[in-house]
Amino acid sequence: MSEALLNTLNQALASLSASQGRLLVGYSGGLDSTVLLHLLAQNAALKDRLLALHVHHGLSANADAWAAHCEQQCAQLQVPFVCERVVVSNHGAGIEQAAREARYQAFARHCQPGDTLLLAHHADDQAETFFMRLLRGSGLTGLAAMAAVRELQPGSGIWLLRPLLNIHRAQLEDYAAAQQLSWVDDESNGDERFERNWWRQTLLPQIFARLPGKDAALQRSIAQLQQDQQLLEELLQPAVEACLCSCHWPFAAGFSCSVTALLSAPAHHRPYLLRGWLTRCGLNGGMPGAEFLQRIEQEVIAAAPDRQPRLQLGDLTIRRYQQQLYLVAEIPPFSADPRDVVIADDCHIPWYGGALVTAPAAESRYDVLVQPGSYHLVPAGTCQGMTLKIAGRPRKTLKHLWQEAGVPPWLRECWPALLRDGELCALTGLYVAESAQPPAERREEEGRFLRWQGIF
């Protein structure tokens, strides 16, 4: 059994030999991840690249003991260990989904481009996922269940690999017993109030006992659905790209979705285009179903032009502005008072969960060249009635400048503004007053490009 399991794992890991990035193992301490980590630690060619990452959800009284167990096991295997504590916030999708989202966010924080994240999902997990999604009314994307390989987030350069998807839990149990491995048992896994446990403990054993051998047929069907899903994504890709616009606003995902382009597509294409947009925004886990996608069309896209519609999606919000859809993270409450700041080299001033930063050269059109020195930093919401005199232009009101720059309304109140002697000098990343610009003949030497970097 050990040799067969190693052969299956090695086939799944064949692509890793050509890469040089780290191999992060999602290590809960349970049977599945314990076997995966042990198998990987036996591979001399890969062991030096391993890092075990344990996510401490804080949901069980035993969570601290599980973390200590994982750290001890990693010490024995001589594998570096990291424990990441997270806060699980249930936004209505259930505690299991909330824990999953927190876990994947932790994975993303620790992974770097070129890394591979390895998770220990196996064939039984795949079957449970399929049936759960089937009875929730999922379409092709959901029924394709878990991919063996995918990018953790589109364009991230980080790959997620599930090398045990063709292995059943019973095989993992046999390996663990033969190797005398030690693991932890999550007491919640036996609680059939959780739907997955009900499938695992009761329904699937009965189905496959009544229909022996059909689990292999199910795996073939899932593989076919995944192939169909891949083909559909490839065919839709040009239409998805036509809807996307690069987005650099703080707290917004990297792409907005053009309402005009979306509405020009046939109605039955739009749910797929919306999913394509959300996927490009990095929303792999917690992808909304057909009912929610319909709500986006009805409540956000179809809202009156003078409205500012919004629709909550977990801890994110879908908003519309100037015929673009945005996926926006929650803007943290402002906890700092207006204050005096000095703009200089390597400036890093915390602001609304992000920061004002300087650079010697412009990196985007949202960088403005300001004269170094002392300023008073305030949220633009406190600057009502002020105007800005830009070189070569008449004075403009804030309302005019917001509209000209296309700044979404939800960012205007908290936008960082620089004052000097009570006069508005700059809207960081957008406009700078003539009085705050360095002299034309010394701009390159004295000026500093300033931008507001938000967090998504």
Side-chain angles (χ1 to χ4, degrees):
M1 172 57 65
S2 296
E3 184 176 350
L5 202 56
L6 279 170
N7 288 338
T8 299
L9 182 67
N10 288 336
Q11 290 176 9
L13 299 179
S15 61
L16 296 181
S17 59
S19 67
Q20 299 299 320
R22 298 178 303 164
L23 306 178
L24 285 79
V25 183
Y27 181 38
S28 68
L31 169 70
D32 310 335
S33 61
T34 295
V35 170
L36 176 59
L37 183 62
H38 188 269
L39 285 164
L40 289 166
Q42 310 312 305
N43 189 320
L46 301 178
K47 184 174 181 179
D48 289 344
R49 297 161 57 190
L50 290 178
L51 172 67
L53 177 56
H54 176 81
V55 179
H56 186 305
H57 299 89
L59 297 176
S60 169
N62 297 314
D64 288 338
W66 296 341
H69 166 86
C70 290
E71 185 173 14
Q72 180 186 45
Q73 294 300 307
C74 286
Q76 292 179 7
L77 291 171
Q78 298 182 318
V79 171
F81 172 79
V82 172
C83 177
E84 168 86 356
R85 292 177 179 265
V86 299
V87 176
V88 178
S89 302
N90 188 351
H91 294 280
I95 196 66
E96 288 180 292
Q97 180 61 30
R100 182 186 185 279
E101 291 175 2
R103 188 162 57 251
Y104 275 80
Q105 290 168 5
F107 292 154
R109 283 193 294 272
H110 284 271
C111 289
Q112 304 167 0
D115 289 346
T116 300
L117 173 66
L118 294 105
L119 301 181
H121 297 113
H122 49 71
D124 298 312
D125 295 325
Q126 188 78 303
E128 295 159 13
T129 299
F130 172 84
F131 279 109
M132 289 170 64
R133 293 180 178 178
L134 176 67
L135 296 189
R136 290 176 187 171
S138 293
L140 178 58
T141 301
L143 295 180
M146 295 181 287
V149 183
R150 68 169 174 85
E151 266 195 296
L152 185 60
Q153 294 175 345
S156 66
I158 302 165
W159 290 94
L160 187 158
L161 182 61
R162 297 183 174 98
L164 302 180
L165 274 185
N166 292 325
I167 301 296
H168 286 279
R169 179 180 171 86
Q171 296 171 274
L172 302 181
E173 291 172 343
D174 291 342
Y175 177 87
Q179 299 293 324
Q180 298 182 327
L181 301 184
S182 174
W183 64 90
V184 300
D185 285 313
D186 185 341
E187 68 278 1
S188 69
N189 286 339
D191 187 348
E192 293 194 4
R193 289 177 299 177
F194 295 110
E195 183 187 355
R196 183 174 290 276
N197 293 339
W198 184 46
W199 281 103
R200 179 179 301 160
Q201 307 290 344
T202 301
L203 296 181
L204 287 182
Q206 292 182 15
I207 290 173
F208 294 134
R210 177 67 179 83
L211 302 169
K214 295 301 181 182
D215 54 337
L218 174 62
Q219 297 300 327
R220 290 195 299 273
S221 292
I222 293 174
Q224 183 61 55
L225 289 168
Q226 290 178 343
Q227 184 175 325
D228 295 346
Q229 171 65 14
Q230 182 180 357
L231 176 61
L232 177 62
E233 289 178 353
E234 292 172 359
L235 294 174
L236 279 174
Q237 191 61 29
V240 172
E241 293 294 332
C243 292
L244 300 182
C245 300
S246 182
C247 174
H248 301 284
W249 295 123
F251 305 103
F255 294 94
S256 62
C257 179
S258 166
V259 172
T260 302
L262 190 68
L263 293 181
S264 68
H268 63 284
H269 287 196
R270 294 171 196 163
Y272 297 96
L273 299 178
L274 285 170
R275 284 197 186 99
W277 165 56
L278 293 173
T279 298
R280 287 294 299 274
C281 289
L283 193 71
N284 285 312
M287 182 63 69
E291 182 179 349
F292 188 90
L293 297 175
Q294 188 175 34
R295 289 184 63 194
I296 295 176
E297 293 198 56
Q298 294 174 345
E299 300 177 27
V300 181
I301 295 175
D306 60 344
R307 298 285 302 277
Q308 295 181 25
R310 53 185 294 174
L311 186 60
Q312 201 71 24
L313 178 59
D315 57 356
L316 304 173
T317 305
I318 295 174
R319 294 177 179 264
R320 188 199 70 193
Y321 178 63
Q322 291 187 342
Q323 292 298 92
Q324 295 287 325
L325 298 179
Y326 296 91
L327 185 64
V328 183
E330 181 179 358
I331 299 176
F334 186 54
S335 58
D337 295 326
R339 57 201 187 276
D340 294 329
V341 297
V342 176
I343 304 301
D345 291 338
D346 299 322
C347 184
H348 187 280
I349 303 170
W351 188 261
Y352 275 93
L356 307 188
V357 298
T358 55
E363 295 182 8
S364 79
R365 70 183 184 93
Y366 298 102
D367 294 352
V368 294
L369 192 67
V370 299
Q371 186 174 27
S374 298
Y375 296 88
H376 191 57
L377 175 63
V378 300
T382 65
C383 300
Q384 298 303 321
M386 292 187 178
T387 59
L388 190 70
K389 176 63 174 73
I390 303 169
R393 299 179 58 183
R395 284 190 173 273
K396 298 289 185 180
T397 65
L398 282 180
K399 180 179 180 181
H400 181 96
L401 294 174
W402 293 138
Q403 293 175 342
E404 180 182 281
V407 177
W410 57 87
L411 289 174
R412 297 176 184 179
E413 289 291 314
C414 63
W415 199 274
L418 296 177
L419 307 182
R420 182 182 282 166
D421 299 327
E423 182 82 8
L424 181 61
C425 292
L427 294 173
T428 303
L430 298 175
Y431 300 104
V432 61
E434 186 174 19
S435 61
Q437 284 186 329
E441 66 275 10
R442 297 198 302 275
R443 282 185 180 179
E444 291 188 6
E445 296 82 5
E446 294 187 8
R448 292 296 177 268
F449 287 96
L450 184 66
R451 81 172 69 91
W452 175 25
Q453 288 183 338
I455 297 174
F456 181 78

